[in-house]
Amino acid sequence: MTSDPTSTAPGTSGTPGAPGADAPASAALLARARAVTPGGVNSPVRAFRAVGGTPRFMVSGEGAWLTDADGRRYVDLVCSWGPMILGHRHPQVVAAVEATTARGYSFGTPSENEVALAEEIVARVEPVEQVRLVSSGTEATMSAIRLARGFTGRSLVVKFAGHYHGHVDSLLVSAGSGIATLALPDSAGVPPEMAAETLVLPYNDVDALEAVFAARGPDIACVITEAAAGNMGVVPPAPGFTEALRRVTAAHGALLVSDEVMTGFRVSRAGWWGHEGADVRPDLLTFGKVMGGGFPAAAFGGRADVMALLAPEGPVYQAGTLSGNPVATAAGLATLLACDDALYAHLGSVSRTIADAASAALEAEGVAHRVQWAGSMFSVFFREGEVVTYDDARDQDTAAFGRFFHAMLEAGVYLPPSAFESWFVSGAHDDRAVEHVLAALPGAARAAAAG
Ligand SMILES: *Cc1c(COP(=O)(O)O)cnc(C)c1O
């Protein structure tokens, strides 16, 4: 497939017919990549399978803009799936990285940068008394689950349909993100006995939660939840749901693990926890994305008495050759230090402007849609009516999204290539970038309507 032929976006100069003709340099790179890498990509959603067409190989990023291998420029509304909260090549982050690499970049010993980043996380997120750094969100959730099992001496984990916690075996059950995009119920290679250790509940359903604890409570180590779901599109917890999670887990001696890999330091200084207020205190929290500033750094942390079970203090093993890497932690710390009140206010107003304009454009063309929010994170569902569960999220017109996506791409706006992902903005999204997005929206809405 190539770009959508019905596209009437501004700047469209006719749609080439041959595969990859719209992006010849990217197409050539994809051909090379496919010869050596499955699907040509190192993470499935990058392959554009949900929207068709040639995935764009990017060669540079500056502020709010990406440039692809064909020299075309795009306003970036993916922001590396969240981490680039300051935009690309933010001067303070570049300076921190350069100052660090000048002194070496991996020692396999403790070093000060990792202490400073841990201090910043602990200072921002009050329930985090102790934190351990890892290299990916997947490692963070995997380790938090192991720790919860080690602490409680129980095996079962409760998760919610449509929530994505990385590609941890036992959590690849009814997950969102790439799994939602590919419409796989599950992953091959996960032993059934491992999947059986995970109980999947509908999101935002307190009755289902209470029922599962009534039946299996003494065996449940933890409930893991996306603090606000962002991997099936944006679906915030219903009023009272997070409180119910805390009440029910506490009553049964299970831990509450709040996965803030996406929301952490994105929706407020302290993530979703800081956004919602201090009344719901998870036992463990996981972080990634923003806290690495575009480098591989992630973390899990929480109650000191639980974290004390980790090696070398306690019996729960956890380790990493590159954990706390000096460059990644320098980039992460520089990023967090620039995430101040003004930045969060900017993210809020820019995302509101873009979402309102997207909604108005779709409305004008009669395209069914719904915008949902978690702080400044939002996504556009191509359906009518509130999205509360994964079933709701899946019930949308993904073909209309695909036409919309390609018209935006053609007009120089890089959206997430899936209807199940949040849109992200950054501190570098200035008036020029926003106006470029706004100018592209009416044509994209026309393309969406032309199904
Ligand atoms: C991205 C994400 C993960 C996985 O993080 P990786 O760094 O991709 O392994 C886990 N949980 C949530 C909520 C995420 O958004």
Side-chain angles (χ1 to χ4, degrees):
M1 276 194 277
T2 61
S3 296
D4 174 66
T6 61
S7 167
T8 52
T12 302
S13 53
T15 303
D22 49 342
S26 285
L29 283 166
L30 182 65
R32 261 176 72 194
R34 293 180 78 128
V36 288
T37 297
V41 294
N42 287 307
S43 200
V45 73
R46 296 179 196 169
F48 277 25
R49 290 287 164 89
V51 291
T54 307
R56 302 304 194 261
F57 281 63
M58 297 301 172
V59 295
S60 64
E62 192 71 42
W65 297 80
L66 290 171
T67 303
D68 75 8
D70 291 286
R72 296 184 57 166
R73 299 181 77 229
Y74 306 87
V75 173
D76 184 9
L77 292 181
V78 178
C79 291
S80 191
W81 304 93
M84 309 315 297
I85 193 167
L86 306 178
H88 298 278
R89 289 184 43 76
H90 186 277
Q92 279 162 249
V93 180
V94 172
V97 166
E98 288 179 354
T100 302
T101 52
R103 297 191 302 269
Y105 35 81
S106 188
F107 308 124
T109 70
S111 66
E112 188 175 350
N113 287 359
E114 58 198 295
V115 184
L117 179 56
E119 286 170 344
E120 179 67 18
I121 293 170
V122 168
R124 280 177 176 249
V125 192
E126 204 262 331
V128 178
E129 298 167 344
Q130 292 264 298
V131 62
R132 168 76 43 97
L133 303 185
V134 294
S135 300
S136 71
T138 295
E139 271 185 90
T141 60
M142 177 183 78
S143 304
I145 296 264
R146 184 183 306 141
L147 182 56
R149 286 172 163 158
F151 182 79
T152 58
R154 304 170 176 182
S155 295
L156 296 181
V157 170
V158 172
K159 80 175 284 285
F160 298 102
H163 286 209
Y164 179 68
H165 303 292
H167 57 99
V168 180
D169 278 340
S170 61
L171 298 178
L172 274 181
V173 183
S174 202
S177 200
I179 302 281
T181 300
L182 297 172
L184 300 177
D186 212 329
S187 168
V190 176
E193 51 283 14
M194 202 169 277
E197 299 291 303
T198 306
L199 306 173
V200 183
L201 300 182
Y203 189 35
N204 284 323
D205 186 338
V206 177
D207 291 344
L209 178 76
E210 281 173 341
V212 84
F213 269 92
R216 310 291 300 271
D219 301 322
I220 296 173
C222 66
V223 172
I224 185 167
T225 184
E226 282 192 59
N231 286 288
M232 54 170 158
V234 174
V235 186
F241 184 69
T242 311
E243 288 78 1
L245 292 180
R246 179 66 288 178
R247 174 174 50 76
V248 173
T249 49
H252 290 270
L255 299 188
L256 175 58
V257 182
S258 181
D259 183 352
E260 294 233 31
V261 171
M262 185 179 285
T263 51
F265 316 110
R266 157 78 45 189
V267 299
S268 84
R269 281 182 54 79
W272 186 260
W273 179 80
H275 178 76
E276 256 202 333
D279 48 338
V280 176
R281 218 184 143 86
D283 302 295
L284 294 173
L285 299 92
T286 55
F287 304 103
K289 298 198 167 96
V290 168
M291 65 155 282
F295 286 78
F300 63 104
R303 274 167 54 184
D305 63 325
V306 178
M307 294 297 286
L309 260 67
L310 280 181
E313 300 264 293
V316 176
Y317 193 70
Q318 192 281 325
T321 301
L322 296 178
S323 292
N325 173 267
V327 183
T329 49
L333 181 62
T335 298
L336 290 189
L337 292 179
C339 287
D340 55 16
D341 292 345
L343 186 268
Y344 291 111
H346 179 81
L347 299 181
S349 72
V350 167
S351 53
R352 179 61 65 182
T353 302
I354 291 175
D356 285 353
S359 192
L362 291 166
E363 193 71 50
E365 297 298 332
V367 179
H369 69 282
R370 179 180 172 86
V371 179
Q372 291 196 180
W373 293 89
S376 63
M377 271 165 47
F378 70 96
S379 72
V380 181
F381 294 94
F382 281 70
R383 59 167 268 149
E384 244 140 42
E386 189 178 6
V387 175
V388 176
T389 66
Y390 190 31
D391 285 342
D392 297 339
R394 280 190 292 194
D395 179 21
Q396 60 171 316
D397 186 350
T398 54
F401 172 79
R403 294 188 297 274
F404 182 79
F405 168 85
H406 275 292
M408 292 296 280
L409 191 70
E410 189 68 26
V413 179
Y414 194 80
L415 290 179
S418 158
F420 295 92
E421 304 287 354
S422 173
W423 302 18
F424 294 103
V425 300
S426 82
H429 284 70
D430 55 11
D431 290 349
R432 212 180 120 241
V434 171
E435 273 152 27
H436 189 83
V437 174
L438 300 195
L441 285 166
R446 272 198 298 284

